[in-house]
Amino acid sequence: MSTTEGVRRTQLRTGLLLLMADPEGARRRLQPVLDLTTSLAAASIAGASGAGVSLIDEAGAKTSTASTHPLVAAADDQQYEIGEGPCLTAWADSVLVRVDDLIADPRWPQWREAARTLHLRSVLSAPIVTPTRTVGALKVYSDEPNVFDRVAEHLLLQLAQQAALLIDNVQSLTAAKDFSETIKEGLRTRQTIAVAAGVLMERHQINKEQAFLQLRDSALRNNRTVVDEAAEILAGR
């Protein structure tokens, strides 16, 4: 591995560590790291005119993107508008897609005709595969034919794997944070109801079960949830 490539991979890993250290900022930091991924692809793969990354939901709709050149963004937008192309194939089939010469390639005829106006000739697209599903694709374009080889394939797949690791960690951190908040809210709800029941027990000299039943009945009469009724009781205690 060259020194330059090692530095670039260190930059990508650093971005990942920052995300893991700060789950609150995970979503906010995702876009800059996607931008970094495309920059690394464009700079690392010989002959690339530009690089891009697209995250795609399970219905095939693009959810977020990053690109190093307007040409890449335009080529990607054409794929999503037409509904076919190497990026969508890489995502849908979870395979590496290489186009040596777009003019001679019979695949995706509608997109091919649209892309020719952009003077694209070579395409290399790798799926971004997390443990749960394929979430998108990382791709490089060139305006020259027969640009990408096995070395380029290997490098793009490595970068796509790094991107997949990053995205999976972002999603896991976000899910863990949401789950934590749900648990905290559940504990707060239980505490509110328990304290309100204690107030009713003291006020009416009743046992715990009777207090909970009274709280429930009162909530039904006032068309409130039990926790809202408990909060109302505490507010007026």
Side-chain angles (χ1 to χ4, degrees):
M1 182 190 302
S2 67
T3 302
T4 301
E5 185 179 345
V7 169
R8 288 170 180 160
R9 293 190 183 182
T10 299
Q11 288 176 325
L12 192 57
R13 285 194 295 268
T14 300
L16 174 59
L17 290 174
L18 286 172
L19 284 167
M20 296 177 69
D22 182 13
E24 289 286 345
R27 290 184 181 276
R28 176 170 52 83
R29 287 198 172 96
L30 178 59
Q31 188 61 46
V33 177
L34 291 180
D35 292 335
L36 175 61
T37 302
T38 56
S39 296
L40 292 174
S44 302
I45 297 178
S49 301
V53 61
S54 299
L55 301 186
I56 307 169
D57 65 19
E58 294 182 353
K62 179 175 62 177
T63 60
S64 60
T65 186
S67 60
T68 63
H69 194 284
L71 182 69
V72 176
D76 282 351
D77 287 342
Q78 287 178 341
Q79 290 190 63
Y80 295 111
E81 182 178 343
I82 295 171
E84 66 174 24
C87 173
L88 290 177
T89 297
W91 162 76
D93 297 340
S94 300
V95 295
L96 180 76
V97 176
R98 189 172 108 186
V99 178
D100 292 323
D101 189 351
L102 190 60
I103 292 178
D105 198 303
R107 296 172 288 180
W108 325 289
Q110 294 185 59
W111 179 78
R112 185 181 69 239
E113 289 303 312
R116 285 177 64 179
T117 64
L118 301 174
H119 307 290
L120 291 179
R121 297 294 295 274
S122 299
V123 182
L124 190 61
S125 186
I128 300 175
V129 185
T130 70
T132 55
R133 71 181 188 91
T134 303
V135 297
L138 175 64
K139 78 290 301 220
V140 286
Y141 294 117
S142 176
D143 56 5
E144 297 291 334
N146 303 303
V147 168
F148 306 122
D149 54 14
R150 292 291 181 88
V151 174
E153 290 181 357
H154 178 69
L155 184 53
L156 191 68
L157 283 170
Q158 285 189 317
L159 290 171
Q161 289 171 359
Q162 292 289 330
L165 176 64
L166 171 103
I167 293 165
D168 186 53
N169 275 279
V170 171
Q171 293 173 339
S172 297
L173 287 169
T174 302
K177 180 179 179 297
D178 291 343
F179 183 65
S180 177
E181 290 300 322
T182 299
I183 292 177
K184 289 178 182 177
E185 182 59 31
L187 292 174
R188 285 192 291 268
T189 296
R190 290 183 60 184
Q191 184 178 17
T192 299
I193 293 173
V195 174
V199 170
L200 293 178
M201 290 169 62
E202 182 179 353
R203 181 183 300 170
H204 302 294
Q205 297 300 304
I206 56 179
N207 61 33
K208 183 183 295 184
E209 183 178 354
Q210 291 170 324
F212 279 117
L213 289 174
Q214 185 172 324
L215 184 60
R216 183 202 62 185
D217 294 342
S218 180
L220 289 173
R221 286 195 304 272
N222 295 321
N223 195 29
R224 298 191 184 110
T225 65
V226 173
V227 67
D228 286 344
E229 185 67 26
E232 187 69 19
I233 289 172
L234 295 181
R237 64 182 298 179

